[in-house]
Amino acid sequence: MDELDAPLSSRLTAPAAALLAKELGLETVRDLLWHLPRRYAERGQLTPIRQLVAGDDVTIVAQVVRAQPPRRMRNRDGALMQVTLGDGRDTVGLTFFARSVRQFAHHERQLREGRTVLASGRVEVFNRSWQLARPDYQPLDDDTEDAAALADRPIPLYPATGKAPSWKIAKAVQTVLGATERVPDVLPAGVVAEAELLDPLRALRAVHAPRDRADVARGQRRLRYEEAFVLQTALAQRRAGAASERAVPRTRRPGGLAATFDTRLPFPLTGAQERVGEEIADDLARERPMQRLLQGDVGSGKTLVALRAMLTVVDGGGQAALLAPTEVLAAQHLRSTTAALGDLAAGGLLGGHELATRVVLLTGSMGAAARREALLAAASGEAGIVIGTHALLEEHVAFADLGLVVVDEQHRFGVEQRDALRAKASSVPHLLVMTATPIPRTVAMTVFGDLETSVLDELPPGRAEVTTVAVPMQNEAWVDRVWRRVAEEAALGRQAYVVCARIDGDDAGKEPDDGGGDEPPPDDGEKRRPPLAVSDVVEIVRHHPATAHLRTEVLHGRMHPADKDDVMRRFSAGEVDVVVSTTVVEVGVDVPNASVMVVVDADRFGVSQLHQLRGRIGRGGLPGTCLLMTEVPEASPAGQRLSALVATRDGFELARLDLEQRREGDVLGAAQSGRRSSLRLLGVLKDADVIADARAAATALVAADPALEHHPALAAAVADRVSGETERFLERA
Ligand code: ADP
Ligand code: MG
């Protein structure tokens, strides 16, 4: 067995090992040695207290400004001692409690004025001043140590908890690292030589006990490469596995359903739709299951590409399933698909085309009778196209011959779901995943490591102008103007969306069924009033003199699905003028007659979300107006996001900006339904080169040794990564 797989209890005292397991989930030597410092402090450099964020667990370097003599508490038993730390400009307080004054002797000795300490705790604001709650500390200028030798060494600061502060982790790491003699290298010798990387043990020493910043950089470079390589090896193995799977080839029939549909299109395909259509048709005609990611900006016409693929599969004797993230979208897909197909969707009905198939909807909230009918149509093969939500994945849903799965606008479709659908087909179905959120190449390589990518990089012609304006909410005259603008459009027979950041006073701002939902709202670290809710704004619209006469409805994820569907259907039919909603309309909703998008508290949304919302208008050749209402100043981070939206409608450009504004660690999170990245050092944006290099090397290695028989250390590392967190992470793919 690999030395790294040894349990920590074999290296540390039982209580120390138990603490690390309980607080941080660290079980093995590998776990601990890969628990890398988040950052490094320097003795001479005090942490700017100003930058602390309330609620964070922090470790700071600060100087003792004042240590008050311990005293008894006035109203309760016990005693307390207050200490003030400073950075030369601001201060932060620590309060220690004990049963009696005498128990503070140790703190009094350690926390003498003028000393520098490493202090940790949760940041709180108390009596208008900063506090570290449940504080702990470690003197830095301890004269028992060889102070001179240590003076300019960077101090590793670890991700820590209240009970396992950074310096306790550091101590455990030093103990384990000291007892570790050999760390087997997972990287092929050629790669190490080529990239001039440190050997693994030296790299671990360099990051955990650096002599200087250069040490840290050298160590991190090695470990970063290793991380990329292990991940790419896991993905290469997965790709190799997928390549050996068999699917039924499906080809278009001359004069078949797909061909007939094409001749009836009311507009020519865009060049991009044509090209991607060919790529997909080629994939479908192969014996190897298609694994394709289709990226295209909002409005680029992905649905049509998917529909043509589905018809091809029906031509080839199979069925297609279209998976939508929400019931609203699933219902809309049914409506638009049925409308687009006309008599081609009237299979088995009077007046149906001779080639016609059937399109059915299957969602969790359908009535029993309708549901039974849909299930039957899917199982008998009568329905060539089955549209639904995740209800399609349930066990009792059966298909006669499932040939293609299309996943619309979401990233929540992973290996598990693929397996669930696979179980419904006698062979592996082809897979097409569609997304409007552009995914940078390296993220695609990492998160979607086993998918090939097609890009719809062209919008259909005749896309109307959309004017975007940021409206200061403090300015009553401007706000008034917003509602009058909505009324003006309604007078022309157009419709408006009004989107809010939450449903009502009760919710914490989270939608249970929020369509996109794959982007955590940005946290700019500013304290602001709670955002206006749908329930507030609908009252405003219904009572404002300009809009009181309009037909206004609400739409959000907590409504009964039938009611949601009813509102959406009436909005589509033009029977509703204004929909006040949450982000349920964010993704995919297509009502060409809607020409105004008002976003209330627009600063609470991310760039991609706002871009998606804006994509709901300017669809039917009608010029659109997007009004972003906000209270934040233009210079703030949120204000800059809004300025970018005002400046451009290019989704790829905006996505780049969005990714830049997010912290690197959040990038994968954004691409995976808000889940935090499990990567430690690797940044999917900044380390694009490393990822590409590692991918090439890993692919070559797996091609030569698919089971990693000759690379036991690598196999162990892959097994470790693929278990637990990483398994879930890969499954997001
Ligand atoms: P998205 O890629 O955002 O899902 P949709 O598939 O909803 O975009 O398409 C947006 C609109 O553009 C739809 O109303 C669709 O009918 C229309 N459309 C799609 N392809 C074309 C085309 N080649 N020419 C004109 N309009 C098109
Ligand atoms: Mg769409």
Side-chain angles (χ1 to χ4, degrees), residues 267-270 273 297-304 409 460 463 590 619:
F267 39 67
L269 295 173
T270 64
Q273 282 172 323
D297 202 354
V298 176
S300 57
K302 294 185 290 293
T303 317
L304 181 58
E409 308 277 13
R463 226 6 81 96
D590 188 24
R619 301 194 139 225

Side-chain angles (χ1 to χ4, degrees), residues 43 115 140-153:
R43 280 167 178 73
R115 289 191 87 176
L140 280 182
D141 45 5
D142 200 331
D143 22 57
T144 59
E145 283 184 43
D146 189 350
L150 288 173
D152 21 80
R153 292 200 167 190

